[in-house]
Amino acid sequence: MMAQPTPYVLNRAEKMIVDLLSQHGALSRTDLAMRTGYSRAKISSAVQALIERNILEEVGDEGSRGGRRARLLNFSSNVGYIFGVDVGATSVDIALSDFTGRILQRFETPADVRSGPDVLLGMILEQMLRMLEAAHLVPEQIHGIGIGVPGPVEFSTGLLIAPPIMPGWEAFPIREYFPRTFPNAAVIVDNDVNVMALGELRRGKNIKAQNFILIKIGTGIGCGIVCQGQVYRGSSGCAGDVGHICVDYNGPTCHCGNRGCVEAMAAGPAIAAKAMQAAKEGRSPILQELMENNHGLLTAKDVGIAASRGDRVAVSLIQEAGKLIGEMLAGVVNFFNPSLILIGGGVSNIGYQLLSSIRQAVLARSLPLSTRDLRIEYNTLRGEAGIYGAIYLALEHIFTCASTTPTNFDE
Amino acid sequence: MMAQPTPYVLNRAEKMIVDLLSQHGALSRTDLAMRTGYSRAKISSAVQALIERNILEEVGDEGSRGGRRARLLNFSSNVGYIFGVDVGATSVDIALSDFTGRILQRFETPADVRSGPDVLLGMILEQMLRMLEAAHLVPEQIHGIGIGVPGPVEFSTGLLIAPPIMPGWEAFPIREYFPRTFPNAAVIVDNDVNVMALGELRRGKNIKAQNFILIKIGTGIGCGIVCQGQVYRGSSGCAGDVGHICVDYNGPTCHCGNRGCVEAMAAGPAIAAKAMQAAKEGRSPILQELMENNHGLLTAKDVGIAASRGDRVAVSLIQEAGKLIGEMLAGVVNFFNPSLILIGGGVSNIGYQLLSSIRQAVLARSLPLSTRDLRIEYNTLRGEAGIYGAIYLALEHIFTCASTTPTNFDE
């Protein structure tokens, strides 16, 4: 494993300052003191240290609020840039951003993840260079690359472990693909749900919760966990694998070998399979018509279309999926007591019935105290959560905190 | 709500030092530097500040390791003492300890929690004063009282919320009962499973995991969660309420109103009810005999006795309970990916078949990556987890860290 470029090691106050600036952009010392809880004197000395290291600079005055105008601080213009990459099953999204998460260049394209790492990463690299050129930047100015991928990642190494929909990517050294081109960039890889949860944590609209989960419903069902204001990955890095929680001990067999996993009963393919069954049995003329127009196949999206046209079978399929997902979530709520559940992923758009059925099932099965202040909503950044998460994945690695206790890891 | 005595506010290095001393007793500056990851210089200045505040003192030399002997540091002899109180359904356990968790006096007695807070707290207070006298201490020397109770606690206020087995305790201001007698003591109340988990975290044998859960199986089934080295209580303080996770959607109705809760099917009363049914139906002569000797009643403990005498029905009842608990835990493992599950509580002693059935069910139903490094064991302190947890509950409150980010709480 190639060594990663050394991140900036900061003390706790400095780390809190750069985190706030990366989330909010330019702030005054007074703002920083208020938001961190540190004294004005402590903030001033931390800011001074960051200016001396060329990380921050003063960028002008705050708008007048009556009284003396405060100087605003932001990242130094030469501190560098970030690439965020959101790899989906059938698409790639690349963003070039500054250290405040402001996107300078964006490139989205359909792409099949099954074409393998060499083809896909080659295409990504080529695009990155074009985007740099368009922004009049050079590769040396890139200090971090954050990559979200649709499969299980061993976070410490950035390697994919038995990814079901990414043949050829198993244990491929993604991180080592970039340093030849971007010598100053740390490369961080994580799975797509963790990345989406991070995106919501840092840039979500009105997200104040520090303990929340993000459920992604698509081909599979996965979950990103934010615990005490940080993405929680668990002891082996596979926390949040809720797709294989059982919701029916006599249910159908899942590809994992167990029966009644929520993923086997309520993710996109399960909804599509039930819809095709209903169409074949003549229970839904609308689904039948959609299937005939699509070479005998249906997707979860078609079920959403049929539901929006008033098809009762489609509506009940969506409600059934919502109920099963809600029953799984009820257990998660009893255990984890989050204040917020965000619902995302392609299948989450299937119809409003999904969210209301999820809510109903959670309220019915969780304990009253744990749902008293619980909100269940669509994820606030919708399709943008992944790309912002990828940017912040890199940013979080660039600035690390010295005083993290070294005993803070498992055996 | 009466104001609590102000805790010592420390910076992060100082907090790590007092935490290490409270867990390990006397340590040298070199030990402290090694265990915290801070430089020797940083440790020396933090230690100096703690000595100047009369929190620490030098207590002698380390045994010779060849070369210069290092001075050992420990809490100052006038820093004070702690009471830990472990209130069970039918017992009370009180310990007087110093700031390193060393128990100076201990008092255990049967007591019925249903006699209500006035009777029970009155008895506890009286015993505390006797214990102080025996130790030649005065009430002013008590700086913290940690109390574990067998019911759901709103941690921020220390109030019990709808406790099922504690009539008369609902919203009783436990914290305000003590300050008249112990003017310098902060009083912290938490539920028994969180307290047991904290006891294992701070004093468990060979516990290095920073992400683990402790399951208590007794009259109910509850769980304490340790996340990143801290007890995690969730957004409303009710995290870990796993007793009402569903393991059979067609199962019996639970007192919470839902069907198939693991507590309704596998906790002590459920095991006892199934055993009485078997005895009545003549399926087990041993259980029948035990029931006749006990006025027509059986407890989970009797099932354990019958199993140890080779009774097949009793063995299969234990295995069935283990399987159901394991199926519930499989979901928790997929979600939380802990490295360790500790099994405690009265019913955990029922027979070795319980632990092996739990293990089997978790391995069968969790994903391979999440069980690769997972250990499932009895809790290491057994019946002592609660009393040590109560002591550390108070200690954690006495020393608080200034640099905890104020945004680190939920809305």
Side-chain angles (χ1 to χ4, degrees):
Chain A
M1 179 66 50
M2 224 177 262
Q4 296 253 6
T6 318
Y8 291 105
V9 179
L10 308 180
N11 69 29
R12 245 174 104 81
E14 292 164 355
K15 175 79 163 78
M16 283 170 78
I17 290 168
V18 301
D19 281 352
L20 282 168
L21 294 177
S22 75
Q23 269 182 266
H24 301 285
L27 291 171
S28 68
R29 289 173 179 81
T30 310
D31 280 337
L32 289 168
M34 208 179 59
R35 289 172 189 263
T36 57
Y38 282 117
S39 69
R40 183 56 211 254
K42 175 97 182 172
I43 289 296
S44 289
S45 82
V47 162
Q48 194 48 40
L50 290 166
I51 290 176
E52 278 162 19
R53 288 171 76 180
N54 284 319
I55 296 170
L56 299 191
E57 62 186 20
E58 295 192 332
V59 292
D61 289 340
E62 204 171 25
S64 169
R65 291 188 192 158
R68 199 161 63 102
R69 290 183 180 198
R71 303 286 289 166
L72 289 176
L73 296 151
N74 207 340
F75 289 100
S76 152
S77 53
N78 52 25
V79 78
Y81 297 86
I82 301 288
F83 272 119
V85 183
D86 181 12
V87 177
T90 58
S91 66
V92 165
D93 188 355
I94 310 172
L96 171 62
S97 96
D98 67 16
F99 272 40
T100 65
R102 190 169 58 95
I103 293 177
L104 311 177
Q105 297 272 329
R106 179 88 175 256
F107 178 78
E108 290 179 83
T109 181
D112 189 344
V113 77
R114 289 171 301 180
S115 54
D118 280 312
V119 172
L120 213 77
L121 295 175
M123 183 273 281
I124 290 170
L125 199 57
E126 204 175 298
Q127 275 308 328
M128 285 174 164
L129 292 172
R130 281 200 203 128
M131 291 162 82
L132 278 181
E133 212 179 307
H136 308 291
L137 297 173
V138 294
E140 287 71 19
Q141 288 173 281
I142 297 298
H143 282 254
I145 301 175
I147 307 176
V149 293
V153 172
E154 189 175 69
F155 187 65
S156 56
T157 60
L159 300 178
L160 281 141
I161 306 292
I165 63 163
M166 298 177 74
W169 290 79
E170 165 103 45
F172 184 90
I174 300 176
R175 278 191 188 170
E176 294 176 24
Y177 202 89
F178 296 92
R180 275 161 292 171
T181 315
F182 302 105
N184 302 322
V187 185
I188 316 295
V189 183
D190 201 355
N191 80 60
D192 53 0
V193 271
N194 288 348
V195 169
M196 286 172 75
L198 181 60
E200 290 287 341
L201 176 68
R202 296 282 169 236
R203 286 296 279 259
K205 290 166 193 137
N206 208 15
I207 302 277
K208 295 198 187 90
Q210 297 293 303
N211 302 305
F212 70 85
I213 61 176
L214 180 143
I215 304 287
K216 184 186 179 195
I217 312 166
T219 311
I221 295 178
C223 151
I225 304 170
V226 171
C227 182
Q228 327 251 30
Q230 294 199 307
V231 173
Y232 173 80
R233 297 184 173 88
S235 294
S236 325
C238 62
D241 212 335
V242 297
H244 299 280
I245 290 180
C246 183
V247 287
D248 182 353
Y249 288 89
N250 303 310
T253 302
C254 178
H255 62 82
C256 76
N258 279 309
R259 294 178 83 96
C261 297
V262 66
E263 180 167 309
M265 296 180 72
I271 296 172
K274 287 177 200 173
M276 286 191 274
Q277 186 69 24
K280 273 180 209 151
E281 291 169 3
R283 286 188 279 126
S284 159
I286 298 180
L287 285 172
Q288 208 169 341
E289 185 198 320
L290 288 167
M291 191 158 89
E292 277 159 17
N293 295 343
N294 192 29
H295 316 291
L297 286 174
L298 284 174
T299 64
K301 201 173 171 181
D302 296 319
V303 178
I305 292 167
S308 71
R309 286 164 58 185
D311 184 81
R312 285 191 176 199
V313 170
V315 168
S316 76
L317 287 177
I318 295 171
Q319 288 171 330
E320 192 187 314
K323 179 169 179 286
L324 292 166
I325 293 167
E327 285 173 349
M328 176 278 285
L329 286 175
V332 167
V333 165
N334 282 346
F335 175 78
F336 191 62
N337 183 207
S339 61
L340 177 65
I341 297 177
L342 296 171
I343 311 283
V347 175
S348 70
N349 300 317
I350 198 172
Y352 70 90
Q353 299 93 346
L354 187 78
L355 185 57
S356 59
S357 301
I358 290 174
R359 283 181 175 150
Q360 227 173 315
V362 171
L363 288 178
R365 282 241 43 127
S366 296
L367 295 167
L369 189 56
S370 59
T371 54
R372 200 177 54 184
D373 304 312
L374 174 66
R375 288 190 300 134
I376 304 177
E377 312 282 356
Y378 289 122
N379 75 303
T380 73
L381 300 172
R382 305 282 39 216
E384 303 284 279
I387 196 72
Y388 278 107
I391 291 167
Y392 284 92
L393 186 66
L395 273 171
E396 299 222 322
H397 182 84
I398 289 171
F399 298 110
T400 65
C401 191
S403 66
T404 303
T405 131
T407 58
N408 219 357
F409 297 99
D410 278 18
E411 300 130 281
Chain B
M1 180 64 54
M2 224 178 264
Q4 295 253 8
T6 319
Y8 292 105
V9 178
L10 308 180
N11 69 30
R12 245 175 104 80
E14 292 165 355
K15 175 76 163 81
M16 284 170 77
I17 291 169
V18 301
D19 281 352
L20 283 167
L21 294 177
S22 74
Q23 270 181 266
H24 301 285
L27 291 170
S28 69
R29 288 173 179 81
T30 309
D31 280 337
L32 289 168
M34 209 177 60
R35 287 171 189 262
T36 57
Y38 282 117
S39 69
R40 183 55 211 255
K42 175 98 183 172
I43 288 296
S44 288
S45 82
V47 162
Q48 194 50 40
L50 290 166
I51 290 176
E52 278 162 21
R53 290 172 75 182
N54 283 319
I55 297 170
L56 300 191
E57 62 186 19
E58 294 193 333
V59 293
D61 289 340
E62 206 171 25
S64 170
R65 290 188 192 157
R68 200 160 63 100
R69 289 182 180 198
R71 303 288 287 165
L72 288 176
L73 296 150
N74 207 341
F75 289 99
S76 152
S77 52
N78 52 26
V79 77
Y81 297 87
I82 301 289
F83 273 119
V85 183
D86 181 12
V87 177
T90 59
S91 66
V92 166
D93 187 354
I94 309 171
L96 170 63
S97 97
D98 67 14
F99 272 41
T100 64
R102 191 169 58 95
I103 293 176
L104 312 176
Q105 297 271 330
R106 178 90 174 255
F107 177 78
E108 290 178 83
T109 180
D112 190 344
V113 77
R114 289 172 302 180
S115 54
D118 281 310
V119 172
L120 212 78
L121 295 175
M123 183 274 281
I124 289 170
L125 198 59
E126 203 176 298
Q127 276 308 328
M128 284 174 164
L129 293 171
R130 282 202 201 124
M131 291 162 83
L132 278 181
E133 212 181 308
H136 307 291
L137 297 174
V138 293
E140 287 71 19
Q141 288 175 284
I142 297 298
H143 282 254
I145 302 176
I147 307 176
V149 293
V153 173
E154 189 176 67
F155 187 65
S156 55
T157 59
L159 300 178
L160 281 142
I161 306 292
I165 63 164
M166 298 178 76
W169 290 79
E170 165 102 43
F172 184 90
I174 300 176
R175 277 192 187 170
E176 293 175 24
Y177 202 89
F178 296 92
R180 276 161 291 171
T181 315
F182 302 104
N184 302 321
V187 185
I188 316 295
V189 183
D190 201 356
N191 81 59
D192 54 0
V193 269
N194 287 349
V195 168
M196 286 173 74
L198 180 60
E200 290 288 342
L201 176 67
R202 296 280 170 238
R203 286 296 279 258
K205 291 168 192 136
N206 207 14
I207 302 278
K208 296 199 189 92
Q210 297 292 303
N211 302 306
F212 70 84
I213 61 177
L214 180 142
I215 305 287
K216 184 185 179 195
I217 312 165
T219 310
I221 296 178
C223 149
I225 304 171
V226 172
C227 182
Q228 326 250 27
Q230 293 199 306
V231 173
Y232 172 80
R233 296 182 175 89
S235 292
S236 325
C238 62
D241 212 335
V242 296
H244 300 279
I245 291 179
C246 183
V247 288
D248 182 353
Y249 288 89
N250 302 310
T253 302
C254 178
H255 62 82
C256 76
N258 279 309
R259 294 177 82 94
C261 297
V262 66
E263 181 167 308
M265 297 181 71
I271 297 171
K274 287 178 199 170
M276 287 190 274
Q277 187 69 26
K280 274 180 209 152
E281 290 170 3
R283 284 187 280 125
S284 159
I286 298 180
L287 286 171
Q288 208 169 343
E289 186 199 321
L290 288 166
M291 191 158 88
E292 277 158 17
N293 295 343
N294 193 28
H295 316 290
L297 286 174
L298 283 174
T299 63
K301 201 173 172 182
D302 296 318
V303 179
I305 293 167
S308 71
R309 285 162 61 186
D311 184 80
R312 284 193 176 197
V313 170
V315 168
S316 76
L317 287 177
I318 295 172
Q319 288 170 331
E320 192 186 314
K323 179 169 179 285
L324 292 167
I325 293 167
E327 284 173 351
M328 176 275 286
L329 285 175
V332 167
V333 166
N334 282 347
F335 175 78
F336 191 64
N337 183 208
S339 61
L340 176 66
I341 297 177
L342 296 171
I343 312 283
V347 175
S348 70
N349 300 317
I350 198 171
Y352 70 90
Q353 298 94 347
L354 187 77
L355 185 58
S356 59
S357 300
I358 290 174
R359 282 181 176 149
Q360 227 173 315
V362 171
L363 288 177
R365 281 241 44 126
S366 297
L367 294 168
L369 188 57
S370 59
T371 55
R372 200 177 54 183
D373 304 312
L374 173 66
R375 289 190 300 135
I376 304 177
E377 312 281 356
Y378 289 121
N379 75 304
T380 72
L381 299 172
R382 304 282 41 216
E384 303 284 279
I387 196 72
Y388 279 106
I391 292 167
Y392 283 92
L393 186 65
L395 273 170
E396 298 221 324
H397 182 83
I398 289 172
F399 298 110
T400 66
C401 191
S403 66
T404 302
T405 132
T407 57
N408 219 358
F409 296 100
D410 277 18
E411 300 130 279

